[in-house]
């Protein structure tokens, strides 16, 4: 044992002779602290620890991560589900990002409250403000990298807001996106900024911040009664810092272990996902609700601009020597208002979402989808494919004359397009099985509308369909990898020949000469649609608004007699594709 200690001592002396290790340690540990060690001073060391933790975990994550829209989500899923310790590693990185935001805000608030930006510490304070911006930049650029639904749509909202800034907004948005849409180029740029530019800027600013701090010295307490008391950083302050760092690290470990970092299904740009930003951007998101239209610049540009301008100019505005927060009531009240207001806006945003039936259900459904995806086993990508296949035996289903096609035309084509490739109101259903981690049972329940509260702009319930019909259309959709062949504009026929003259005069302009679809949707199999029986069609022609139909559908057809309406309904009941 003594021989081992002797060897270590010799090695330490050898390093000291060449690198001056002892002098560096003395400089770090012998730092004088006016007023003695305090718990209020632990935030700086904690930020250094968190930065190191983010750098180390980020390096290991980058070993597996692929920054492209084709493979980013699969690579993160591989880390989360297949790599030993990968979920814990990603959880530490995920929750560490939030911890950095919390600790940097606490550090700046403590510095502000104690007036530690005064007394030739202007540059120290300004560098701290720049570090706050860098940390927010880390949070924003890292949010996109998993390329799941949350990441894609949350970033889309953020970049759209950035594009609203006058003059520089459009150019700024184009640079961020690498074009006009979120693509692999966007992901590549965010990854580059997140792992190269921001860490470099952060490291340089941290070194500069420490240098300026050592040069200016610790500000000490806000009163003078402890001026005579000067303690060294080691051992008491180091012990306090170490205890707090350990508490933070254990908290992150517990969160990563028992609440794994969220990862939902792969981003689907065509879906109607309800986006919500990360919690630290929720105050601005909530403020947007009170400033609609052109006034949205107030919470997105004006207020943040004023806030950071005040942060950077504060040492030059407040030149008084007084540091006691009780003798600076305006400054103290402003800090309390800002922090309490931010927390209140976050809570209000969560509360309003929970109280809105449509939003709460949709958000809960999205949460269930994310949890379900996270719990399923990892499915490797096939060689040559960019997206995992679900199910693996996908083939484009038969469309001509099939029972699911009849159900699709009657119930789905109006919103999702006659070719299932997306319409005015609904996203594309092509490749649904590849883009979403859904089973036939999941999709059948979704079609039925279980637990969903419909609204004028949401997908309606289809519980009028028989269970077998819902299962058939669900199986058919999961196998759909190309647009269906029977598209709008395809020739159609009616069993009894030509359409009635009343249809040609009143309906053909919008729905096509033979109901094939034009401005209006195709009318194939229309009587198979919920609430579209032959009697329903007659009532609909009398009062379209009672069936929820708005412009460009007319409010009524006063020129049609009861007999003409019945002839139209009889003809539509028999309307079939010409291939039948």
């Amino acid at each position: 044992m003594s021989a081992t200690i002797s060897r270590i001592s010799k090695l330490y002396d050898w390093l000291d002779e060449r690198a001056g290790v002892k002098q560096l340690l003395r400089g770090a540990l012998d730092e004088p602290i006016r007023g003695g060690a305090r718990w209020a001073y632990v935030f700086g060391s904690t930020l250094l620890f968190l930065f190191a933790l983010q750098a180390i975990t980020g390096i290991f994550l980058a070993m597996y991560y692929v920054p492209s829209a084709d493979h980013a989500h699969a690579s993160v899923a591989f880390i989360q589900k297949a790599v030993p310790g990968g979920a814990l590693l990603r959880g530490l990185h995920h929750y560490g990002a939030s911890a950095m935001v919390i600790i940097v805000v606490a550090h700046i608030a403590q510095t502000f409250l104690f007036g530690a930006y005064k007394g030739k510490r202007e540059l120290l304070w300004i560098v701290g403000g720049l570090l706050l911006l860098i940390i927010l930049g880390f949070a924003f650029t890292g949010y996109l990298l998993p390329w799941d639904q949350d990441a894609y749509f949350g970033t889309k909202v953020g970049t759209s807001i950035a594009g609203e800034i006058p003059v520089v907004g459009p150019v700024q948005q184009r640079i961020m996106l690498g074009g006009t849409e979120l693509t692999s180029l966007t992901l590549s740029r965010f990854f580059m900024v997140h792992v190269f530019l921001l860490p470099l800027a952060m490291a340089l600013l941290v070194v500069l911040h420490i240098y300026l701090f050592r040069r200016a010295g610790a500000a000490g307490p806000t009163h003078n009664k402890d001026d005579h008391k000067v303690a060294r950083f080691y051992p008491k302050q180091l012990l306090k810092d170490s205890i707090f760092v350990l508490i933070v690290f254990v908290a992150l470990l517990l969160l990563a272990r028992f609440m794994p970092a969220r990862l939902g299904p792969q981003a689907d740009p065509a879906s109607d996902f309800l986006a919500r930003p990360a919690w630290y951007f929720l105050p601005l998101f909530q403020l947007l609700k009170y400033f609609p239209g052109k006034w949205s610049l107030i919470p997105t540009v004006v207020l943040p601009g004023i806030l950071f301008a005040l942060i950077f100019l504060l040492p030059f505005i407040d030149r008084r020597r007084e540091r006691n927060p009780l003798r600076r009531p305006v400054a103290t009240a402003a800090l309390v208002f800002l922090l309490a207001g931010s927390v209140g806006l976050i809570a209000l945003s969560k509360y309003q979402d929970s109280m809105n039936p449509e939003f709460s259900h949709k958000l809960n459904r999205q949460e269930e989808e994310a949890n379900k995806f996270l719990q399923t086993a990892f499915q490797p990508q096939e060689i040559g494919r960019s997206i995992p296949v679900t199910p693996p035996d996908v083939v484009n289903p038969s469309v001509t004359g099939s029972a699911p096609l009849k159900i699709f035309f009657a119930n789905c084509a109006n919103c999702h397009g006659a070719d299932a490739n997306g319409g005015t109101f609904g996203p594309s259903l092509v490749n649904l099985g590849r883009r979403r981690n859904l089973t036939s049972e999941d999709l059948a329940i979704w079609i039925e509308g279980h637990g969903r509260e419909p609204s004028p702009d949401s997908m309606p319930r289809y519980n009028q369909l028989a269970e077998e019909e819902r299962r058939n259309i669900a199986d058919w959709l999961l196998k759909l990898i190309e647009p269906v062949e029977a598209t709008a504009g395809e020739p159609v026929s009616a069993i009894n020949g030509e359409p009635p003259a009343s249809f040609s005069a009143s309906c053909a302009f919008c729905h096509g000469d033979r109901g094939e679809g034009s401005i209006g949707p195709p009318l194939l199999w229309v009587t198979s649609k919920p609430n579209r029986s032959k009697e329903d069609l007659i009532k609909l022609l009398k009062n379209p608004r009672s069936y929820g139909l708005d412009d460009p559908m007319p409010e009524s057809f006063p020129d049609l007699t009861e007999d003409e309406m019945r002839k139209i309904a009889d003809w539509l009941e028999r309307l079939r594709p010409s291939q039948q």
Side-chain angles (χ1 to χ4, degrees), residues 60-80:
F60 282 102
L61 291 173
M63 291 180 181
Y64 298 94
Y65 184 72
V66 182
S68 75
D70 291 342
H71 304 291
H73 183 264
S75 64
V76 176
F78 179 69
I79 294 170
Q80 187 88 18

Side-chain angles (χ1 to χ4, degrees), residues 123-138:
L123 291 179
L124 180 63
W125 172 262
I126 290 173
V127 172
L130 291 175
L131 284 171
L132 171 62
L133 286 176
I134 294 292
I135 290 172
L136 292 177
F138 269 120

Side-chain angles (χ1 to χ4, degrees), residues 60-115:
F60 282 102
L61 291 173
M63 291 180 181
Y64 298 94
Y65 184 72
V66 182
S68 75
D70 291 342
H71 304 291
H73 183 264
S75 64
V76 176
F78 179 69
I79 294 170
Q80 187 88 18
K81 300 179 180 183
V83 175
L88 186 67
L89 189 72
R90 181 169 177 259
L92 285 173
H93 196 79
H94 172 81
Y95 289 112
S98 292
M100 282 197 78
V101 174
I102 295 172
I103 297 299
V104 74
V105 170
H107 188 40
I108 290 178
Q110 177 261 326
T111 304
F112 175 84
L113 198 63
F114 284 18

Side-chain angles (χ1 to χ4, degrees), residues 143-193:
Y143 194 70
L144 176 66
L145 301 186
W147 200 253
D148 62 356
Q149 293 280 71
D150 276 327
Y152 180 89
F153 286 96
T155 305
K156 190 170 185 178
V157 171
T159 53
S160 298
I161 291 173
E164 296 296 324
I165 299 175
V167 184
V168 300
V171 176
Q172 174 181 262
Q173 183 183 27
R174 192 172 186 86
I175 292 173
M176 293 170 68
L177 297 178
T180 57
E181 298 293 336
L182 265 72
T183 62
S184 284
L185 185 56
T186 312
L187 191 60
S188 179
R189 290 191 177 192
F190 273 56
F191 179 74
M192 184 274 296
V193 171

